[in-house]
């Protein structure tokens, strides 16, 4: 592009400041939104790609079904999976098992204690399989023996500062000592696995490698295949392994247990598992935001085309004069394309500035460290500019060929006549822009309605002012009864109960034997272990029978309470007195008989993504948590009194607590974040669509100025002219609404299917969107119509 061409372009831009500003701002904002989404998508789709043996690394998961239970798909397996895979199959080089403690664990060194999340135990093959490295210590011996542990760099800094921690002893839960044998090097990328603060040797756990596959599935497991081996070639051996150990048992209970292998790079985006370690991403989210990014980019380009063609009347005389003095069409196209490319490049530079300014807020909103992603991708900057050039060429092709094709005679007579075809094309662009905008508006409203619904739905208990105390050390686990008794003496404590399981935090599964059925007698249901006062503290309703009673000795051994879903699954209209068998040995098909003494009203123990499942509730003997209901008027003083009591009982262990309503909010964290992002990008899309409509209104007003002048001379009122000009822009928006409604409803109904309980799409949402889009159209086009209607007709007709 020559200097003279740039000067000409800048001179033209100076004469059309407003239009140039609109063009630049629309393209810059659209590109900024596009870059932000691209950074988000790039981060979402690059989990676990840093592993050195990526093509051979597999996550092991299980698909299982027992009796009448629904199929379980879980990324965990049992202890014997490692020796079985290594000794009974060919083609597997190494396997690592990881047991993660979901609660926070107290870790101490020299009277300094911290509560750390995701403490785990792992086999010594961790380094070979998952590619972990040590910055201090020897990988070959770091986890090979009991009571050894490696720690992260952050944990090393917490306890030891810059000192070498190798050989020092740390203590878990004030009881179990581990010798530090290594310090982990920082990860080279982001993973679906959490950052482990402490990794203890798997040999420290007291486990039986010869137990069944069916028992105790709580270990995350990863396999490294040998070169050239495929998962398909291993399938027969995996089925043989299961048959050898559990075939007879599975036939007795009418179920199956399939060991599957998944490429590790697919683990993060696969959200169809129960018991994922961390919140996962979603392939649907990636698809949705990819579509949004493409549409916003497309809207920006269409907006650029519309605005440029709207300015064609202002180019006309310049084009006519240039042609009359000998300029060729090629020269004019080159000039106009150069202007398009220059505007696109400037818009790209402005968009990058916007990205740098908005990225911290966008990172916080999305929950991803995207500043780091931007730094890692800075070398793509030249490609961004090249992309801007391509966008400028694509967006400028149609306007440049349209404008350069004007005939000099027609131009100098004022007869531009872009034709009905050009008007139809521009109108089609606006319709498309509003279709996308309306779909996004409806989607945003439905997401908002669903999030409001899940926050307001009755979970089956009162989750407010419920304090959860985790008994994360052995001292508290031994003294929980005395601690619980003294909690009742604190004035702000309404009630408290011990428990192993709490909705949203923990739940178990168990196979029960139906004593009243001959076929399909075994059924898998959720199970909970709770204390005597649990239902009162949680404010749950017993709808049939009675609650557990300390005065009835047999309650602690044979009594159970079921929820309404369990009664329905079992087909019991009057469950009181009915019995279920609790298996003592799956292999021997032996069970203890349990008697139903009550039915609890259904409650949500997971997010509204899942149905309320049949649940059996037992009395617990050794709790993991104490749940406390606080009086809302005295929470601060009550918390201080509880912390003082905790300190006295726990011998100074850290006070660890959480509120139950916070855990419910965390269940929908991903949806809330994605919904908020959707709202922001919807606003951007609507803004860009509004600019496109502004361009069409500007073009129409310019093309019809003679008509407007004649109508005013003939007595037409300003108000009538405004309605006349605005009316033609209402039709494209109405058409866009008619097309967009079924598309939006189809997409959002599919999204709502991810929730077992969800709001319904009502006509009010459609009407609000239609009214909003029409209002945007009227405001955008009305301004141009008002401006055109107020022009003095003498000035318009004098040019004729």
């Amino acid at each position: 592009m020559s200097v003279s061409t740039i000067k000409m372009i800048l001179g033209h831009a100076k004469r059309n400041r407003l239009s140039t500003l609109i063009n630049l701002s629309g393209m810059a904002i659209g590109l900024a939104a596009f870059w932000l989404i691209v950074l988000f998508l790039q981060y979402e789709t690059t989990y676990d790609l840093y592993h050195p043996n990526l093509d051979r690394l597999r996550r092991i998961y299980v698909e299982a079904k027992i009796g009448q239970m629904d199929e379980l798909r879980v990324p965990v397996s049992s202890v014997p999976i490692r020796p079985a895979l290594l000794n009974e199959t060919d083609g597997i080089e190494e396997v690592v098992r990881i047991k993660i403690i979901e609660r926070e664990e107290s870790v101490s060194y020299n009277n300094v204690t911290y509560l750390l999340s995701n403490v785990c135990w792992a086999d010594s093959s961790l380094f070979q399989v998952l590619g972990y490295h040590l910055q201090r210590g020897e990988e070959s011996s770091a986890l090979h023996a009991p009571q050894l542990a490696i720690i992260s760099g952050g944990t090393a800094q917490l306890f030891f500062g810059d000192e070498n921690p190798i050989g020092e002893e740390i203590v878990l839960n004030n009881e179990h000592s581990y010798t530090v044998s290594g310090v982990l090097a920082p990860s080279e990328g982001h993973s679906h696995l959490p950052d482990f603060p402490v990794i203890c040797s798997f040999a420290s756990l007291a486990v039986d490698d010869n137990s069944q596959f069916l028992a105790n599935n709580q270990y995350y497991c990863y396999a490294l295949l040998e070169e050239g081996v495929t998962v398909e070639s291993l399938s027969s051996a995996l089925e043989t392994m299961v048959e050898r150990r559990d075939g007879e048992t599975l036939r007795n209970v009418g179920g199956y247990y399939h060991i599957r292998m998944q490429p590790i790079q697919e683990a993060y985006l696969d959200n169809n598992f129960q018991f994922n370690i961390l919140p996962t991403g979603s392939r649907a989210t990636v698809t949705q935001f990819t579509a949004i990014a493409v549409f916003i980019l497309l809207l920006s380009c269409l907006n650029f085309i519309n605005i440029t063609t709207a300015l064609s009347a202002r180019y006309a005389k310049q084009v006519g004069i240039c042609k009359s003095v000998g300029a060729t069409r090629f020269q004019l196209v080159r000039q106009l394309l150069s202007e398009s490319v220059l505007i696109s490049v400037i818009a790209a530079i402005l968009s990058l500035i916007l990205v740098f300014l908005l990225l911290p807020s966008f990172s916080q909103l999305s929950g991803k460290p995207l500043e780091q992603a931007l730094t890692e991708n800075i070398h793509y900057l030249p490609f961004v500019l090249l992309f801007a050039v391509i966008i400028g060429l694509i967006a400028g092709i149609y306007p440049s060929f349209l404008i350069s094709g004007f005939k000099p005679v027609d131009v100098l007579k004022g007869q531009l006549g872009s034709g009905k075809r050009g008007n139809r094309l521009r109108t089609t662009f606006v319709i498309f822009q509003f279709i996308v905008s309306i779909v996004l508006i409806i989607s945003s409203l439905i997401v908002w309605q669903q999030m409001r619904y899940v926050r307001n739905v009755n979970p089956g208990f009162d989750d407010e002012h419920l304090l959860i105390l985790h008994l994360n050390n052995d001292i508290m686990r031994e003294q929980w009864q005395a601690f619980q008794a003294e909690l009742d003496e604190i004035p702000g404590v309404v009630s408290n109960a011990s428990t192993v399981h709490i909705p949203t935090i923990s739940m178990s599964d168990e196979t029960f034997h139906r004593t009243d059925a001959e076929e399909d007698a075994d059924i898998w249901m959720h199970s909970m272990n709770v204390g005597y006062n649990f239902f009162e503290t949680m404010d749950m309703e017993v709808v049939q029978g009675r609650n557990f009673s300390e005065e009835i000795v047999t309650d602690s051994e044979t009594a159970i309470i079921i929820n309404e879903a369990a009664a329905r699954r079992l087909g019991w209209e009057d469950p009181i007195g009915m019995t279920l068998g609790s298996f003592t040995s799956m292999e021997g098909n032996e069970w203890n008989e349990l008697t139903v003494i009550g039915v609890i009203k259904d409650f949500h123990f997971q997010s509204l993504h899942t149905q309320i499942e049949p649940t059996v509730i037992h009395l617990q003997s050794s709790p993991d948590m104490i749940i406390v209901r606080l009086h809302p008027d005295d929470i601060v003083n009550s918390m201080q009194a509880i912390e003082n009591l905790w300190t006295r009982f726990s011998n100074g262990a850290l006070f660890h607590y959480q509120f139950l309503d916070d855990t419910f909010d965390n269940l929908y964290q991903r949806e809330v974040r994605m919904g908020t992002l959707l709202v922001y990008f919807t606003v951007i899309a609507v803004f860009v669509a509004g600019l496109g409509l502004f361009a069409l209104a500007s073009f129409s007003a310019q093309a019809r100025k003679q008509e407007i002048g004649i109508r005013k001379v003939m007595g037409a009122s300003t108000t009538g002219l405004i309605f006349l000009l605005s009316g033609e822009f209402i039709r494209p928006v109405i058409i866009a609404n008619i097309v967009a409604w079924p598309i939006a409803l189809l997409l959002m109904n599919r999204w709502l299917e991810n929730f077992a309980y969800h709001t319904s799409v009502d006509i009010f949402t459609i009407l609000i969107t239609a009214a909003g889009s029409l209002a945007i159209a009227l405001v955008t086009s009305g301004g141009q119509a008002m401006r055109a209607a107020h022009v003095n007709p003498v000035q318009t007709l004098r040019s004729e």
Side-chain angles (χ1 to χ4, degrees), residues 323-374:
K323 278 195 167 186
S324 64
V325 297
T328 66
R329 187 171 187 181
F330 173 76
Q331 291 172 324
L332 291 171
V333 169
R334 184 179 62 183
Q335 175 189 330
L336 295 168
L337 279 178
S338 298
E339 178 175 349
S340 175
V341 169
L342 182 60
I343 290 176
S344 182
V345 170
I346 294 173
I349 294 171
L350 292 175
S351 73
L352 290 175
I353 294 172
L354 283 175
V355 168
F356 276 103
L357 294 175
L358 296 174
L359 197 57
S361 299
F362 184 70
S363 296
Q364 184 176 7
L365 190 61
S366 65
K368 308 293 179 182
L370 298 180
E371 296 97 330
Q372 177 185 348
L374 181 62

Side-chain angles (χ1 to χ4, degrees), residues 568-579:
R568 289 192 297 271
R569 174 69 67 85
L570 294 165
W572 292 343
E573 293 184 6
D574 184 13
I576 307 305
M578 300 297 287
T579 58

Side-chain angles (χ1 to χ4, degrees), residues 18-28 303-304 307-308 311 343:
L18 178 60
S19 300
T20 304
L21 179 62
I22 292 173
N23 234 346
L24 273 175
S25 60
M27 185 67 82
N303 175 70
F304 183 91
I307 292 178
T308 305
L311 294 175
I343 290 176

Side-chain angles (χ1 to χ4, degrees), residues 157-199:
Q157 191 66 35
L158 275 178
F159 289 108
F160 306 101
D162 296 328
E163 300 295 323
N164 186 358
I166 304 299
E168 301 291 339
E169 283 196 354
I170 58 174
V171 180
L172 264 61
N173 291 329
N174 300 325
E175 182 177 7
H176 306 288
S177 296
Y178 289 85
T179 301
V180 177
S181 57
V183 178
L184 281 169
S187 174
E188 298 176 6
H190 45 288
S191 171
H192 75 285
L193 290 166
D195 294 326
F196 298 119
V198 178
I199 303 177

